[in-house]
């Protein structure tokens, strides 16, 4: 299976290859992928968190999609799943195209899945057009982009660009106490026949197609977005330590209630952040674990998350200083500890890769709109080792991380067409 794909149309102009995108095939693949962890209807949502049996079953199905000469399936030590389409000059660094197939605890059918399936459709379109590119193309499904089961997010892509990170990722645990390292080892064994690719390999360029996940493109009536960068993101894990005691007998004066303390701290931080009057700041507490979690026992320990985002690093620093100052106080007599578990500076995509996406969008006949991503993506890590860029399609109602997440089929297909032209330009 190391033969290269056949050439029929060696000189086909890049934009012409877009004609070979098969929209029905793309949508059918997306719908099938959604069935792994999904319900009867697409808007039942998808439950396919990272390194779960649902994700493994989806990967096994993906591997059955390309069993043809010129293709090879690989995985690396971070369980990133790679489909390599061989190029005419196999020694050259490949063009990577990717996203993720893990979801939020209950996610939509397109977040991540779209970028992976659009990448496969690019390969199919190139096959049907009879094009063999100069460089190899690799379609990658990155591990644990979401970070909902194991924080931080984008573990697979961060370990790809900085392999030393994998050791600290391995120590992170999910809510059941399972170490990421154990779940990773099990997932790797689930695809025992795949050869191992190296982390930290040279990459010529990286492209990622994704749904916008916000309301901007739909409001502006745009179909294809050229993404110029990604706002900065920091995640914190805040631990409030109280003293567990009997709910029926312990007087107020003798309590150290970790849940009450957490509620006070969260409300205080929320007001302080709002008082800055900065409409571009995003501040979210989305996860809170209470121990021991009993109706009639005062909370002993609360751990909650903070997701903080802004396009400017200085603003992130300012909020982090505020958080440290508040955490240094006692809340209802409870001490607070703060651990930063993710810190990604704002990303500016490479002009060459952005220009390739822009030209590809223009070739579809759609006007290109420039946009900065509010969500983070694996592209933010790939951008540190190779020219990277992203392509957005609109989200209906701006909804994402929710079962109602959706995009018009013709917009998904238009995105795959533009992606095909952009990949071809970078790979030739
Ligand atoms: C990605 O899932 C994000 O939270 O931006
Ligand atoms: Mn995503
Ligand atoms: Mn997501």
């Amino acid at each position: 299976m190391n033969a290269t794909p056949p050439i029929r149309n060696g000189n086909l102009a890049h934009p012409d290859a877009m004609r070979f995108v098969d929209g029905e095939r793309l949508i059918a693949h997306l719908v099938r992928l959604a069935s792994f962890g999904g319900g009867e209807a697409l808007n039942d949502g998808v439950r396919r968190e990272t390194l779960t049996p649902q994700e493994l079953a989806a990967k096994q199905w993906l591997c059955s999609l390309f069993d043809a000469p010129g293709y090879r399936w690989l995985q690396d030590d971070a369980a990133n799943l790679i489909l390599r389409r061989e190029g005419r000059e196999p020694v050259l660094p490949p063009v990577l195209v990717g996203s993720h197939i893990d979801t939020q605890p209950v996610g939509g059918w397109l977040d991540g899945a779209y970028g992976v399936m659009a990448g496969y459709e690019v390969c199919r379109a190139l096959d049907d057009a009879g094009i063999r590119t100069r460089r190899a193309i690799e379609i990658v499904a990155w591990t644990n982009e979401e970070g909902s089961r194991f924080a931080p997010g984008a573990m697979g892509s961060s370990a790809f660009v900085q392999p030393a990170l994998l050791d600290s990722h391995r120590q992170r645990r999910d809510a059941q106490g399972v170490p990421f390292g154990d779940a990773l080892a099990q997932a790797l064994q689930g695809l025992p026949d795949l050869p191992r690719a190296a982390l930290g390999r040279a990459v010529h360029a990286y492209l990622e197609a994704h749904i916008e996940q916000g309301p901007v493109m739909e409001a502006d009536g745009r179909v294809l977005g050229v993404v110029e960068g990604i706002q900065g993101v920091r995640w914190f894990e805040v631990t409030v330590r109280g003293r567990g005691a009997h709910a029926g007998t312990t007087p107020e004066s003798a309590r150290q209630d970790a849940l009450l303390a957490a509620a006070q701290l969260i409300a205080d931080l929320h007001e302080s952040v709002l008082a800055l009057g900065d409409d571009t700041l995003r501040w979210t507490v989305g996860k809170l674990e209470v121990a021991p979690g009993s109706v009639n026992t005062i909370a002993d320990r609360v751990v909650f998350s903070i997701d903080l985002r802004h396009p400017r690093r200085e603003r992130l620093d300012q909020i982090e200083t505020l958080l440290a100052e508040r955490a240094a106080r006692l809340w209802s007599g409870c001490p607070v500890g703060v651990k930063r578990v993710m810190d990604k500076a704002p990303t500016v995509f490479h002009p060459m890769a952005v220009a390739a996406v822009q030209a590809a969008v223009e070739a579809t006949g759609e006007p290109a709109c420039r946009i900065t991503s509010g969500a983070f993506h694996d592209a933010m890590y790939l951008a540190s080792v190779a020219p990277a860029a992203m392509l957005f399609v609109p989200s209906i109602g701006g909804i994402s991380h929710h079962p109602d997440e959706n995009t018009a089929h013709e917009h998904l297909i238009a995105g795959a067409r533009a992606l095909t032209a952009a990949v071809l330009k970078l790979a030739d």
Side-chain angles (χ1 to χ4, degrees):
M1 274 219 277
N2 288 329
T4 47
I7 308 180
R8 288 198 308 272
N9 290 318
N11 296 322
L12 197 72
H14 298 156
D16 290 342
M18 296 188 311
R19 286 190 284 114
F20 290 87
V21 165
D22 181 335
E24 279 180 26
R25 179 170 58 193
L26 170 67
I27 302 300
H29 282 159
L30 279 164
V31 170
R32 177 77 174 102
L33 179 55
S35 72
F36 295 93
E40 302 251 299
L42 286 175
N43 63 1
D44 286 336
V46 182
R47 293 159 175 80
R48 196 174 59 229
E49 280 190 285
T50 195
L51 306 183
T52 54
Q54 291 77 12
E55 194 199 41
L56 181 60
K59 283 183 169 180
Q60 287 165 338
W61 168 69
L62 290 177
C63 288
S64 71
L65 279 183
F66 285 83
D67 185 13
Y71 286 98
R72 266 193 308 155
W73 286 98
L74 306 156
Q75 61 183 341
D76 61 28
D77 287 351
N80 297 314
L81 178 68
I82 301 150
L83 173 69
R84 181 175 167 98
R85 184 181 197 271
E86 203 50 83
R88 299 195 303 271
E89 297 181 42
V91 293
L92 294 179
V95 171
L96 263 57
V97 181
S99 200
H100 57 100
I101 63 160
D102 66 314
T103 70
Q104 289 288 307
V106 188
W109 67 301
L110 295 172
D111 177 1
Y114 174 59
V116 174
M117 298 320 302
Y120 293 152
E121 185 53 37
V122 169
C123 292
R124 283 289 187 233
L126 296 181
D127 289 346
D128 292 348
I131 295 173
R132 193 204 310 164
T133 50
R134 179 168 168 247
R135 293 175 183 276
I137 298 167
E138 295 186 6
I139 313 300
V140 189
W142 302 106
T143 297
N144 188 28
E145 190 274 349
E146 296 289 2
S148 51
R149 180 177 174 201
F150 300 98
M155 275 189 185
S157 50
S158 58
F160 180 84
V161 303
Q162 213 183 322
L165 282 177
L166 195 53
D167 278 341
S168 59
H169 290 341
R170 282 200 175 95
Q171 314 306 319
R172 303 291 303 170
R173 289 173 187 268
D174 69 7
Q176 273 64 52
V178 178
F180 178 79
D182 291 7
L184 184 63
Q186 209 176 6
L188 287 166
Q189 283 160 18
L191 291 167
D193 299 331
L194 296 196
R196 278 307 157 88
L199 295 169
R201 288 176 292 133
V203 174
H204 176 65
Y206 177 74
L207 291 180
E208 182 165 353
H210 209 283
I211 53 168
E212 183 205 335
Q213 307 184 273
V216 175
M217 290 176 62
E218 186 182 59
D220 292 349
R222 300 300 184 165
V223 172
L224 295 173
V226 180
V227 187
E228 296 182 308
I230 302 178
Q231 68 174 338
V233 52
R234 291 186 197 176
W235 281 8
F236 303 93
E237 194 175 83
V238 183
T239 304
V240 183
R241 291 186 190 282
R243 198 169 60 215
H246 197 292
T249 61
T250 314
E252 197 63 37
S253 58
R255 290 182 181 217
Q256 275 172 272
D257 182 339
L259 184 51
L260 178 63
Q264 290 167 336
L265 174 57
I266 291 168
D268 179 279
L269 286 168
H270 190 64
E271 273 167 32
S272 308
V273 166
L274 279 188
L276 295 172
D278 180 347
D279 198 34
T280 49
L281 184 65
R282 304 280 180 266
W283 186 89
T284 307
V285 175
K287 187 171 176 181
L288 186 134
E289 288 160 18
V290 182
S294 164
V295 177
N296 46 0
T297 299
I298 294 163
D300 188 45
R301 183 169 178 268
V302 168
V303 181
F304 67 89
S305 60
I306 296 178
D307 174 307
L308 175 67
R309 310 202 192 196
H310 198 274
R312 284 192 307 111
R313 186 199 293 256
E314 302 74 41
R315 188 60 108 186
L316 299 171
D317 289 342
Q318 182 189 10
I319 307 291
E320 186 163 352
T321 305
L322 177 88
L323 177 60
E325 190 271 314
R326 294 299 196 277
R329 302 179 192 173
L330 287 179
W331 296 83
S332 287
C334 301
V336 175
V338 177
K339 185 171 166 189
R340 189 165 70 186
V341 292
M342 183 170 186
D343 177 10
K344 194 71 191 75
T347 303
V348 179
F349 287 137
H350 194 284
M352 182 273 278
V354 173
V357 175
Q358 170 93 26
V361 168
E362 284 166 3
T364 67
E366 286 292 341
C369 79
R370 294 290 186 126
I371 186 165
T372 296
S373 178
F376 65 71
H377 300 284
D378 295 299
M380 71 188 173
Y381 283 106
L382 272 295
S384 65
V385 295
M390 292 186 72
L391 171 78
F392 273 180
V393 292
S395 291
I396 296 173
I399 298 167
S400 188
H401 285 189
H402 188 277
D404 287 343
E405 171 185 280
N406 208 356
T407 296
H409 289 188
E410 66 263 32
H411 296 170
L412 295 170
I413 296 163
R417 286 161 51 85
L419 185 67
T420 301
V423 171
L424 198 46
K425 185 168 177 61
L426 293 170
D428 249 354

